Amino acid sequence: MLSQASAPLVTALQDCARRQGAAFYAPGHKGGHGISSLHQQVFGGDVFCVDMPELPELDDLFSPESVILEAQRLAALAFGAERTWFLVNGSTCGIEAALLATCGPGDKVIVPRNAHQSVLSGLILSGAMPVWVSPTYEPGWQMALGVTADAIAATLNHHPDVKAVLVVSPTYEGVCSNIAAIAAVVHSYDIPLIVDAAHGPHFVFHANLPPSALSGGADIVIHSAHKVLAAFTQAALLHVQGTRCDRNRLNQALRITQSSSPSYLLLGSLDAARHQMATHGRSLMERTLALARTAREQLRHSPLPVLNVSDGSFQQDLTRLTVDVSAMDTTGFAADMWLHERGVTAELPTLHQLTFIISLGNSIQDIERLVQGLLQLPATGAVKKAQPYVEMPLTGLSPREAFFAATEVCEIDNVIGRLSADTVSIYPPGIPSLMPGELITETVLMTLQTAQAAGAHLSGLADSSLRTVRVLQVDHGSSVIRP
């Protein structure tokens, strides 16, 4: 019987580090003996001792039989899955593998318009054709709340040949869809529900957090273990339950999307983060929720509105704090820069808001600095609020077809009506504003130009000045259709 108090992979790493002898295998630093003084100064020496390859005692990530297998079994128990895989290429590789495992070339998959760019990568790799579903938008906050079961049901009614459904829950702002209701609809078609729950690995550890996607019946769930837990950046988890996903195919897909030289720093941190949450998760989340409540209470009578989702179709992760800074006559990007220069850094700036992740690593002193910084924000002249960008993509090509199509460079004055060749995102959060094969409209172009003028970083442009855009050659434009 596995014990949640054990950490098999971490223990094995410690044992290997203690008895390290004459090493004639990678990595080249040989347990830290070959590092420079700069390495030592920046990273310390201890981390290199456990930066190891797949030694016999450390198992094989892609065919685990010992310590990795045990660590993954413990993770499945902790998070409520039937099986869990450790990921070293981030949630991105898990989402890509989930789509490769459930869809093939030409297969339809339902995808919300607020999906992360990693979903697009999965569509390009698999050759699947997205059937777009519009998330519910909150116009006052200009943000997507999530998708409803009714929206999924209506889309499935029009596309009963869909092979899988993917939803994002929670969103960057911590808004959660009703996964149980969505799963009931999806499973009535006997197809799998994939949930990009990158921002929700902590839900299972406290009753005052939204229900976890696994408890709602999702078939495949992807978690970023570094966003709110204590794993190293890029460490993630993929969970599966039920029989609607071919696990052998999923395992093969992970071989494609993950490095063949997995980092044991990341793998070990996943085991350690799981151990921490399995043994102290409830108390850690209790403290985190208390910090978040303190921030809300201190901002209650300020001029800054704080997001409070009241729509009954959705729930909110209260460890996320989203504040509308336009009330202070400034933009989210300007406020983010001003706060960052004073030692307070947000997770997500948008045109009018800032979103902060409050996690187990924060302190009451952090909350005090955050609140004081927000209350002292200077006015810089806010961008006038406009209608949110809610257009659905217009395209007749699959993302894969568009990715491999012939392209050309087009002046910005002539791009409206052309098909994009690039994936262009305001980053963060990395939700594509344009994707390969999507029709460039006046609305989306204005969205990008307004964001860039306000200080946003546009990711994916070949020309960062936005004077030109890569588009598909004209002969690919005749098949544009509405989804």
Side-chain angles (χ1 to χ4, degrees):
M1 182 70 178
L2 294 171
S3 169
Q4 288 288 325
S6 63
L9 184 51
V10 171
T11 300
L13 281 168
Q14 290 174 320
D15 290 344
C16 283
R18 277 195 292 266
R19 63 173 184 268
Q20 206 168 55
F24 296 99
Y25 50 80
H29 60 69
K30 310 299 185 185
H33 296 293
I35 64 175
S36 68
S37 58
L38 181 61
H39 279 100
Q40 178 74 37
Q41 178 184 343
V42 175
F43 301 105
D46 292 346
V47 68
F48 292 95
C49 295
V50 290
D51 181 25
M52 297 179 180
E54 291 176 303
L55 300 174
E57 303 93 331
L58 297 180
D59 210 354
D60 176 355
L61 178 62
F62 298 106
S63 299
E65 296 179 346
S66 59
V67 290
I68 291 179
L69 183 62
E70 291 175 8
Q72 291 183 155
R73 284 174 177 168
L74 286 168
L77 286 171
F79 291 93
E82 290 179 6
R83 184 171 176 184
T84 293
W85 282 262
F86 284 180
L87 307 178
V88 293
N89 283 14
S91 289
T92 292
C93 78
I95 290 169
E96 292 168 347
L99 288 168
L100 282 167
T102 55
C103 303
D107 286 343
K108 294 179 182 178
V109 55
I110 292 177
V111 179
R113 186 62 179 91
N114 64 327
H116 188 265
Q117 62 190 25
S118 58
V119 174
L120 181 60
S121 298
L123 295 173
I124 292 171
L125 289 170
S126 66
M129 188 70 183
V131 176
W132 299 104
V133 59
S134 182
T136 299
Y137 274 83
E138 166 50 56
W141 282 83
Q142 298 188 12
M143 71 172 59
L145 298 180
V147 295
T148 64
D150 288 344
I152 297 295
T155 308
L156 281 168
N157 185 52
H158 284 92
H159 299 274
D161 55 341
V162 160
K163 298 296 185 182
V165 175
L166 185 147
V167 299
V168 180
S169 181
T171 64
Y172 236 98
E173 295 84 5
V175 181
C176 302
S177 300
N178 187 336
I179 297 300
I182 293 171
V185 171
V186 173
H187 292 163
S188 69
Y189 287 79
D190 197 27
I191 55 176
L193 172 62
I194 304 165
V195 179
D196 174 0
H199 289 266
H202 54 309
F203 289 173
V204 72
F205 299 104
H206 201 285
N208 290 343
L209 292 167
S212 71
L214 286 163
S215 69
D219 301 275
I220 303 173
V221 176
I222 299 96
H223 283 150
S224 284
H226 66 91
K227 285 183 167 63
V228 293
L229 305 185
F232 284 144
T233 296
Q234 201 173 308
L237 301 156
L238 186 149
H239 311 285
V240 170
Q241 62 184 352
T243 59
R244 294 180 182 86
C245 173
D246 183 335
R247 299 183 190 185
N248 289 326
R249 182 170 164 181
L250 179 60
N251 203 50
Q252 291 300 311
L254 286 169
R255 286 177 174 266
I256 294 172
T257 62
Q258 296 216 83
S259 170
S260 60
S261 301
S263 167
Y264 272 85
L265 297 177
L266 300 184
L267 294 173
S269 78
L270 282 166
D271 192 27
R274 184 276 317 158
H275 174 269
Q276 180 186 32
M277 296 306 293
T279 54
H280 303 291
R282 191 188 183 287
S283 61
L284 289 168
M285 289 302 98
E286 183 74 33
R287 177 179 169 277
T288 302
L289 285 162
L291 291 174
R293 280 195 301 272
T294 298
R296 281 183 165 77
E297 288 167 1
Q298 293 184 10
L299 292 170
R300 181 177 298 167
H301 301 296
S302 77
L304 294 164
V306 175
L307 180 65
N308 181 26
V309 176
S310 56
D311 189 315
S313 300
F314 306 99
Q315 288 185 267
Q316 187 176 1
D317 172 13
L318 294 177
T319 68
R320 290 293 161 100
L321 183 73
T322 298
V323 178
D324 189 338
V325 298
S326 62
M328 303 288 276
D329 196 28
T330 188
T331 67
F333 302 115
D336 181 53
M337 183 61 68
W338 188 87
L339 287 170
H340 181 66
E341 290 172 351
R342 287 153 182 81
V344 176
T345 304
E347 168 66 18
L348 172 64
T350 62
L351 194 57
H352 302 297
Q353 292 123 25
L354 292 174
T355 295
F356 303 87
I357 296 177
I358 301 172
S359 75
L360 51 80
N362 285 118
S363 66
I364 189 62
Q365 290 78 19
D366 293 337
I367 300 300
E368 291 169 354
R369 292 183 69 180
L370 166 61
V371 171
Q372 288 305 308
L374 286 171
L375 294 178
Q376 294 169 14
L377 282 174
T380 60
V383 176
K384 183 180 178 181
K385 283 197 173 182
Q387 289 299 309
Y389 171 53
V390 295
E391 285 188 345
M392 297 296 281
L394 305 178
T395 179
L397 299 174
S398 73
R400 183 179 178 86
E401 291 171 326
F403 181 82
F404 287 106
T407 68
E408 60 189 17
V409 175
C410 186
E411 296 290 331
I412 196 69
D413 292 338
N414 301 317
V415 299
I416 294 175
R418 300 294 300 273
L419 297 182
S420 174
D422 289 324
T423 303
V424 183
S425 305
I426 301 171
Y427 204 94
I431 297 169
S433 298
L434 272 177
M435 57 196 75
E438 181 177 353
L439 187 71
I440 303 173
T441 66
E442 184 177 2
T443 301
V444 70
L445 185 58
M446 287 183 62
T447 297
L448 293 172
Q449 290 174 325
T450 300
Q452 187 180 61
H457 171 63
L458 301 185
S459 174
L461 286 170
D463 176 5
S464 60
S465 71
L466 199 53
R467 296 190 185 96
T468 62
V469 175
R470 282 201 326 135
V471 297
L472 303 189
Q473 289 187 356
V474 174
D475 58 344
H476 289 285
S478 60
S479 60
V480 173
I481 59 172
R482 289 188 177 273

mmCIF file of all heavy atoms in Angstrom, residues 10 17 33 52 86 133 141 155-156 163 181 203 213 229 256 285 288 352-354 377 387 412-413 417 462 467 475:
data_model
loop_
_atom_site.group_PDB
_atom_site.id
_atom_site.type_symbol
_atom_site.label_atom_id
_atom_site.label_comp_id
_atom_site.label_asym_id
_atom_site.label_seq_id
_atom_site.Cartn_x
_atom_site.Cartn_y
_atom_site.Cartn_z
ATOM 1 N N VAL A 10 11.934 11.366 -4.987
ATOM 2 C CA VAL A 10 12.848 12.255 -4.270
ATOM 3 C C VAL A 10 13.856 11.447 -3.455
ATOM 4 O O VAL A 10 15.056 11.745 -3.443
ATOM 5 C CB VAL A 10 12.058 13.207 -3.345
ATOM 6 C CG1 VAL A 10 13.004 13.973 -2.428
ATOM 7 C CG2 VAL A 10 11.228 14.187 -4.173
ATOM 8 N N ALA A 17 22.517 10.727 -5.309
ATOM 9 C CA ALA A 17 23.436 11.854 -5.096
ATOM 10 C C ALA A 17 24.478 11.518 -4.042
ATOM 11 O O ALA A 17 25.657 11.884 -4.171
ATOM 12 C CB ALA A 17 22.643 13.094 -4.691
ATOM 13 N N HIS A 33 30.527 18.925 -10.237
ATOM 14 C CA HIS A 33 31.985 19.066 -10.151
ATOM 15 C C HIS A 33 32.542 19.948 -11.265
ATOM 16 O O HIS A 33 33.635 20.512 -11.114
ATOM 17 C CB HIS A 33 32.661 17.688 -10.201
ATOM 18 C CG HIS A 33 32.309 16.815 -9.038
ATOM 19 N ND1 HIS A 33 32.704 17.105 -7.750
ATOM 20 C CD2 HIS A 33 31.577 15.663 -8.966
ATOM 21 C CE1 HIS A 33 32.245 16.164 -6.924
ATOM 22 N NE2 HIS A 33 31.548 15.290 -7.639
ATOM 23 N N MET A 52 20.238 14.607 -12.766
ATOM 24 C CA MET A 52 20.741 13.310 -13.227
ATOM 25 C C MET A 52 19.972 12.823 -14.447
ATOM 26 O O MET A 52 18.876 13.281 -14.727
ATOM 27 C CB MET A 52 20.596 12.272 -12.107
ATOM 28 C CG MET A 52 21.411 12.597 -10.877
ATOM 29 S SD MET A 52 21.172 11.344 -9.603
ATOM 30 C CE MET A 52 22.228 11.998 -8.323
ATOM 31 N N PHE A 86 3.630 12.201 -15.219
ATOM 32 C CA PHE A 86 4.442 13.386 -14.969
ATOM 33 C C PHE A 86 4.842 13.997 -16.317
ATOM 34 O O PHE A 86 5.218 13.272 -17.248
ATOM 35 C CB PHE A 86 5.703 13.040 -14.181
ATOM 36 C CG PHE A 86 5.460 12.794 -12.708
ATOM 37 C CD1 PHE A 86 6.522 12.461 -11.878
ATOM 38 C CD2 PHE A 86 4.202 12.904 -12.152
ATOM 39 C CE1 PHE A 86 6.325 12.242 -10.520
ATOM 40 C CE2 PHE A 86 3.986 12.689 -10.794
ATOM 41 C CZ PHE A 86 5.050 12.351 -9.982
ATOM 42 N N VAL A 133 -16.608 27.051 -30.138
ATOM 43 C CA VAL A 133 -17.761 27.385 -29.313
ATOM 44 C C VAL A 133 -17.426 28.664 -28.553
ATOM 45 O O VAL A 133 -16.315 28.825 -28.047
ATOM 46 C CB VAL A 133 -18.133 26.238 -28.343
ATOM 47 C CG1 VAL A 133 -16.983 25.899 -27.416
ATOM 48 C CG2 VAL A 133 -19.372 26.570 -27.545
ATOM 49 N N TRP A 141 -16.665 43.450 -17.597
ATOM 50 C CA TRP A 141 -15.263 43.142 -17.330
ATOM 51 C C TRP A 141 -14.492 42.791 -18.599
ATOM 52 O O TRP A 141 -13.285 42.610 -18.559
ATOM 53 C CB TRP A 141 -15.162 41.988 -16.330
ATOM 54 C CG TRP A 141 -15.423 42.433 -14.928
ATOM 55 C CD1 TRP A 141 -16.643 42.599 -14.328
ATOM 56 C CD2 TRP A 141 -14.452 42.795 -13.958
ATOM 57 N NE1 TRP A 141 -16.491 43.030 -13.044
ATOM 58 C CE2 TRP A 141 -15.152 43.166 -12.779
ATOM 59 C CE3 TRP A 141 -13.061 42.844 -13.939
ATOM 60 C CZ2 TRP A 141 -14.510 43.579 -11.617
ATOM 61 C CZ3 TRP A 141 -12.408 43.251 -12.787
ATOM 62 C CH2 TRP A 141 -13.133 43.618 -11.644
ATOM 63 N N THR A 155 -23.746 22.826 -29.668
ATOM 64 C CA THR A 155 -22.694 22.576 -30.654
ATOM 65 C C THR A 155 -22.651 21.102 -31.038
ATOM 66 O O THR A 155 -22.497 20.759 -32.226
ATOM 67 C CB THR A 155 -21.328 23.030 -30.099
ATOM 68 O OG1 THR A 155 -21.425 24.376 -29.645
ATOM 69 C CG2 THR A 155 -20.260 22.942 -31.166
ATOM 70 N N LEU A 156 -22.801 20.216 -30.078
ATOM 71 C CA LEU A 156 -22.827 18.778 -30.368
ATOM 72 C C LEU A 156 -24.059 18.413 -31.205
ATOM 73 O O LEU A 156 -23.998 17.502 -32.045
ATOM 74 C CB LEU A 156 -22.815 17.979 -29.068
ATOM 75 C CG LEU A 156 -21.453 17.845 -28.381
ATOM 76 C CD1 LEU A 156 -21.609 17.291 -26.974
ATOM 77 C CD2 LEU A 156 -20.526 16.948 -29.204
ATOM 78 N N LYS A 163 -15.274 14.181 -32.186
ATOM 79 C CA LYS A 163 -14.533 13.101 -31.537
ATOM 80 C C LYS A 163 -14.137 13.406 -30.092
ATOM 81 O O LYS A 163 -13.853 12.490 -29.321
ATOM 82 C CB LYS A 163 -13.260 12.782 -32.337
ATOM 83 C CG LYS A 163 -13.515 12.295 -33.743
ATOM 84 C CD LYS A 163 -14.249 10.957 -33.749
ATOM 85 C CE LYS A 163 -14.395 10.431 -35.169
ATOM 86 N NZ LYS A 163 -15.145 9.149 -35.193
ATOM 87 N N ALA A 181 -21.804 19.241 -15.296
ATOM 88 C CA ALA A 181 -22.890 19.385 -16.270
ATOM 89 C C ALA A 181 -22.380 19.191 -17.691
ATOM 90 O O ALA A 181 -23.041 18.542 -18.519
ATOM 91 C CB ALA A 181 -23.543 20.755 -16.114
ATOM 92 N N PHE A 203 -7.483 22.640 -6.358
ATOM 93 C CA PHE A 203 -8.894 22.577 -5.992
ATOM 94 C C PHE A 203 -9.242 21.388 -5.106
ATOM 95 O O PHE A 203 -10.072 21.491 -4.204
ATOM 96 C CB PHE A 203 -9.766 22.523 -7.251
ATOM 97 C CG PHE A 203 -9.821 23.805 -8.032
ATOM 98 C CD1 PHE A 203 -10.459 23.859 -9.256
ATOM 99 C CD2 PHE A 203 -9.229 24.963 -7.554
ATOM 100 C CE1 PHE A 203 -10.518 25.038 -9.991
ATOM 101 C CE2 PHE A 203 -9.268 26.157 -8.275
ATOM 102 C CZ PHE A 203 -9.921 26.181 -9.501
ATOM 103 N N ALA A 213 -11.814 19.238 -11.725
ATOM 104 C CA ALA A 213 -12.346 18.734 -12.995
ATOM 105 C C ALA A 213 -12.504 17.218 -12.967
ATOM 106 O O ALA A 213 -13.432 16.663 -13.560
ATOM 107 C CB ALA A 213 -11.436 19.158 -14.140
ATOM 108 N N LEU A 229 1.195 25.486 -7.164
ATOM 109 C CA LEU A 229 1.850 24.564 -6.238
ATOM 110 C C LEU A 229 3.345 24.863 -6.245
ATOM 111 O O LEU A 229 3.791 25.860 -6.799
ATOM 112 C CB LEU A 229 1.561 23.117 -6.634
ATOM 113 C CG LEU A 229 0.076 22.741 -6.760
ATOM 114 C CD1 LEU A 229 -0.073 21.250 -7.046
ATOM 115 C CD2 LEU A 229 -0.717 23.141 -5.528
ATOM 116 N N ILE A 256 5.983 11.657 -28.123
ATOM 117 C CA ILE A 256 6.191 12.610 -29.204
ATOM 118 C C ILE A 256 6.371 14.027 -28.662
ATOM 119 O O ILE A 256 7.212 14.789 -29.139
ATOM 120 C CB ILE A 256 4.998 12.567 -30.189
ATOM 121 C CG1 ILE A 256 4.951 11.209 -30.896
ATOM 122 C CG2 ILE A 256 5.073 13.700 -31.210
ATOM 123 C CD1 ILE A 256 3.706 11.006 -31.736
ATOM 124 N N MET A 285 -3.944 25.526 1.875
ATOM 125 C CA MET A 285 -5.006 26.208 1.149
ATOM 126 C C MET A 285 -5.862 27.064 2.080
ATOM 127 O O MET A 285 -6.358 28.119 1.684
ATOM 128 C CB MET A 285 -5.860 25.191 0.404
ATOM 129 C CG MET A 285 -5.169 24.545 -0.787
ATOM 130 S SD MET A 285 -4.600 25.756 -2.027
ATOM 131 C CE MET A 285 -2.856 25.942 -1.597
ATOM 132 N N THR A 288 -3.914 30.176 2.408
ATOM 133 C CA THR A 288 -3.941 30.925 1.149
ATOM 134 C C THR A 288 -5.280 31.623 0.954
ATOM 135 O O THR A 288 -5.331 32.802 0.553
ATOM 136 C CB THR A 288 -3.669 29.974 -0.032
ATOM 137 O OG1 THR A 288 -2.406 29.334 0.164
ATOM 138 C CG2 THR A 288 -3.636 30.728 -1.353
ATOM 139 N N HIS A 352 -7.504 46.645 -19.120
ATOM 140 C CA HIS A 352 -8.165 47.346 -18.021
ATOM 141 C C HIS A 352 -7.991 46.680 -16.659
ATOM 142 O O HIS A 352 -8.442 47.231 -15.658
ATOM 143 C CB HIS A 352 -9.663 47.488 -18.313
ATOM 144 C CG HIS A 352 -9.956 48.210 -19.588
ATOM 145 N ND1 HIS A 352 -9.607 49.519 -19.800
ATOM 146 C CD2 HIS A 352 -10.546 47.795 -20.737
ATOM 147 C CE1 HIS A 352 -9.982 49.889 -21.024
ATOM 148 N NE2 HIS A 352 -10.542 48.862 -21.607
ATOM 149 N N GLN A 353 -7.388 45.509 -16.611
ATOM 150 C CA GLN A 353 -7.339 44.760 -15.358
ATOM 151 C C GLN A 353 -5.943 44.226 -15.050
ATOM 152 O O GLN A 353 -5.085 44.121 -15.927
ATOM 153 C CB GLN A 353 -8.318 43.580 -15.408
ATOM 154 C CG GLN A 353 -9.775 43.970 -15.420
ATOM 155 C CD GLN A 353 -10.497 43.410 -16.630
ATOM 156 O OE1 GLN A 353 -10.089 42.418 -17.201
ATOM 157 N NE2 GLN A 353 -11.583 44.055 -17.025
ATOM 158 N N LEU A 354 -5.794 43.845 -13.799
ATOM 159 C CA LEU A 354 -4.630 43.084 -13.346
ATOM 160 C C LEU A 354 -5.146 41.865 -12.596
ATOM 161 O O LEU A 354 -6.076 41.975 -11.784
ATOM 162 C CB LEU A 354 -3.753 43.921 -12.410
ATOM 163 C CG LEU A 354 -3.010 45.107 -13.013
ATOM 164 C CD1 LEU A 354 -2.306 45.896 -11.913
ATOM 165 C CD2 LEU A 354 -2.013 44.655 -14.066
ATOM 166 N N LEU A 377 -1.900 53.767 -7.055
ATOM 167 C CA LEU A 377 -1.695 53.823 -8.497
ATOM 168 C C LEU A 377 -1.911 55.237 -9.029
ATOM 169 O O LEU A 377 -2.929 55.870 -8.740
ATOM 170 C CB LEU A 377 -2.666 52.870 -9.214
ATOM 171 C CG LEU A 377 -2.325 51.390 -9.211
ATOM 172 C CD1 LEU A 377 -3.457 50.591 -9.832
ATOM 173 C CD2 LEU A 377 -1.025 51.126 -9.964
ATOM 174 N N GLN A 387 -16.109 47.568 -26.808
ATOM 175 C CA GLN A 387 -16.749 46.262 -26.747
ATOM 176 C C GLN A 387 -15.684 45.174 -26.810
ATOM 177 O O GLN A 387 -14.693 45.298 -27.542
ATOM 178 C CB GLN A 387 -17.742 46.090 -27.903
ATOM 179 C CG GLN A 387 -18.990 46.939 -27.753
ATOM 180 C CD GLN A 387 -19.759 46.586 -26.495
ATOM 181 O OE1 GLN A 387 -20.059 45.439 -26.225
ATOM 182 N NE2 GLN A 387 -20.069 47.610 -25.698
ATOM 183 N N ILE A 412 0.308 46.063 -43.455
ATOM 184 C CA ILE A 412 -0.801 46.070 -42.516
ATOM 185 C C ILE A 412 -2.051 46.721 -43.102
ATOM 186 O O ILE A 412 -3.180 46.334 -42.784
ATOM 187 C CB ILE A 412 -0.387 46.771 -41.193
ATOM 188 C CG1 ILE A 412 -1.373 46.436 -40.069
ATOM 189 C CG2 ILE A 412 -0.265 48.260 -41.386
ATOM 190 C CD1 ILE A 412 -1.323 45.013 -39.620
ATOM 191 N N ASP A 413 -1.888 47.691 -44.000
ATOM 192 C CA ASP A 413 -3.043 48.368 -44.591
ATOM 193 C C ASP A 413 -3.830 47.463 -45.522
ATOM 194 O O ASP A 413 -4.969 47.786 -45.890
ATOM 195 C CB ASP A 413 -2.594 49.614 -45.361
ATOM 196 C CG ASP A 413 -2.046 50.704 -44.446
ATOM 197 O OD1 ASP A 413 -2.383 50.682 -43.245
ATOM 198 O OD2 ASP A 413 -1.281 51.560 -44.932
ATOM 199 N N GLY A 417 -9.225 40.852 -44.572
ATOM 200 C CA GLY A 417 -9.765 39.941 -45.575
ATOM 201 C C GLY A 417 -8.810 38.844 -45.991
ATOM 202 O O GLY A 417 -9.203 37.940 -46.734
ATOM 203 N N ALA A 462 5.955 37.924 -36.918
ATOM 204 C CA ALA A 462 7.253 37.943 -37.584
ATOM 205 C C ALA A 462 7.814 39.359 -37.591
ATOM 206 O O ALA A 462 9.032 39.565 -37.519
ATOM 207 C CB ALA A 462 7.110 37.418 -39.013
ATOM 208 N N ARG A 467 3.805 46.350 -38.625
ATOM 209 C CA ARG A 467 3.640 47.052 -39.905
ATOM 210 C C ARG A 467 3.318 46.079 -41.031
ATOM 211 O O ARG A 467 2.712 46.449 -42.028
ATOM 212 C CB ARG A 467 4.917 47.834 -40.250
ATOM 213 C CG ARG A 467 5.245 48.956 -39.283
ATOM 214 C CD ARG A 467 6.368 49.834 -39.820
ATOM 215 N NE ARG A 467 6.773 50.839 -38.846
ATOM 216 C CZ ARG A 467 7.793 50.697 -38.007
ATOM 217 N NH1 ARG A 467 8.511 49.577 -38.029
ATOM 218 N NH2 ARG A 467 8.102 51.649 -37.150
ATOM 219 N N ASP A 475 -4.439 32.142 -53.134
ATOM 220 C CA ASP A 475 -5.231 31.005 -53.600
ATOM 221 C C ASP A 475 -5.821 30.186 -52.463
ATOM 222 O O ASP A 475 -6.648 29.302 -52.690
ATOM 223 C CB ASP A 475 -4.400 30.090 -54.503
ATOM 224 C CG ASP A 475 -3.152 29.562 -53.815
ATOM 225 O OD1 ASP A 475 -2.768 30.121 -52.771
ATOM 226 O OD2 ASP A 475 -2.565 28.592 -54.324
#
